[in-house]
Amino acid sequence: MHGTTPSHITGYEYDDPCYDQVWGHTLPSGATNCMSRRPSGNGPLAGHKWVQETAYDFDGQTPLVKTTHHYYTRNRSDTDSWRHGREHQTQVCSVQDDLLQQTDTTWANTANGSTIFTYVDHVVTTDESHGTSLTSRVDYEYDDYGNVKAEYHDGNTAISGDDRSIHRIFYPNTDPATWIVSKVAQEVTYEGNVSYDSTPDLNAVDAMTRYYYDGNSSYTTPPVEGLPTRVEQITGYREYISGGWWY
């Protein structure tokens, strides 16, 4: 134990196993079929419909809290293979099975050439831990490379005035020999539900961060190696903070 005592121990419980194989093949005892878009004959274990984590006190006997992860699995009539294996719900419960928090994730997809881009459309979280129900929601927008370019946070869906928006800019390097497309160049946080602005008013933003790569003097220059070499921040108090890295 290296002279330390763990704060808690985590145990795991699994639903029936689900195999990625074509219909009609013999499954192991107690297993189900959740074939993907391109299953094989006697395919491998793909996962489980749900997985439950139980946190125990350090004695390994006293349960503290249970977290259950629910995943999409496919049956024969389901055509939504694009979301196969994605987590769509997370529930946190007390040891008495009282729901403390639930997070529901809604997935969507869009065609991208011969492939399908699967992404999180929005996430709704409901907190029941204080005896009242409080629901928050986050919606996402993406650029052409799958980067999250915008987040719209509704802090409490029952009231107004607690919203927050985050906007990101990326300057991808699409040279096939380099292909660096996911390095964020600018991130701006606003109070309220605010649309994207390519030239944000610094007096209106809650915070802004700009990232420079590979020693470039401009944050708009696409990266060549993707090494962060400078970061600039402006806070809600209009304070500028600048720092850098050397390699």
XYZ file of all heavy atoms in Angstrom, residues 2 24 41 43 51 112 116 120 129 161 164 169 189 215 244:
96
model
N 2.178 1.149 0.066
C 3.103 2.274 0.045
C 2.815 3.264 1.168
O 2.973 4.476 1.014
C 3.057 2.985 -1.309
C 3.341 2.090 -2.467
N 4.597 1.587 -2.733
C 2.515 1.578 -3.418
C 4.556 0.819 -3.809
N 3.301 0.794 -4.237
N -28.028 -14.913 -36.011
C -28.101 -16.330 -36.309
C -26.939 -17.136 -35.764
O -27.036 -18.364 -35.654
N -18.672 -12.912 -38.100
C -19.419 -14.128 -37.780
C -19.579 -14.345 -36.296
O -20.614 -14.046 -35.699
N -18.384 -12.709 -33.630
C -17.685 -11.484 -33.281
C -17.326 -11.388 -31.813
O -17.759 -12.182 -30.975
N -23.387 -0.591 -16.867
C -22.301 -0.911 -15.940
C -22.541 -0.084 -14.681
O -22.794 1.114 -14.755
C -20.917 -0.579 -16.521
C -19.822 -0.859 -15.501
C -20.676 -1.357 -17.804
N -20.704 12.275 -43.496
C -19.431 12.920 -43.820
C -18.749 12.047 -44.872
O -17.968 11.171 -44.560
C -18.571 13.051 -42.567
C -17.260 13.769 -42.851
O -17.101 14.386 -43.898
N -16.319 13.680 -41.927
N -19.998 8.357 -41.097
C -20.997 9.059 -40.309
C -20.305 9.704 -39.113
O -19.565 9.035 -38.390
C -22.097 8.089 -39.821
C -22.908 7.564 -41.013
C -23.030 8.792 -38.830
C -23.962 6.556 -40.626
N -22.424 14.545 -29.721
C -23.366 14.895 -28.658
C -24.086 16.170 -29.057
O -23.461 17.205 -29.288
C -22.630 15.097 -27.316
C -23.603 15.589 -26.249
C -21.970 13.799 -26.873
N -30.277 15.915 -5.332
C -29.588 15.616 -4.080
C -29.996 16.511 -2.916
O -29.712 16.186 -1.763
C -28.074 15.714 -4.290
O -27.704 17.023 -4.704
N -31.316 34.232 -16.653
C -30.291 35.083 -16.063
C -29.055 34.353 -15.589
O -28.138 34.992 -15.060
N -24.758 30.862 -19.880
C -23.355 31.133 -20.225
C -23.078 30.547 -21.611
O -23.587 29.484 -21.959
C -22.436 30.499 -19.178
C -20.944 30.707 -19.396
C -20.195 30.333 -18.118
N -20.445 28.960 -17.732
C -19.600 27.943 -17.948
N -18.447 28.162 -18.555
N -19.889 26.731 -17.544
N -12.513 29.232 -31.615
C -12.057 29.345 -32.998
C -10.862 28.418 -33.181
O -9.980 28.343 -32.314
C -11.646 30.787 -33.339
C -12.824 31.745 -33.160
C -11.143 30.878 -34.781
C -12.442 33.195 -33.392
N -15.734 33.365 -23.378
C -16.871 33.045 -22.512
C -17.688 34.310 -22.270
O -17.139 35.360 -21.933
C -16.397 32.475 -21.168
O -15.610 31.301 -21.403
C -17.582 32.102 -20.284
N 5.758 28.935 -31.721
C 6.506 30.185 -31.758
C 5.916 31.244 -32.662
O 6.544 32.291 -32.882
N 4.242 31.732 -21.470
C 4.788 31.032 -22.620
C 5.512 29.767 -22.240
O 5.775 29.513 -21.056
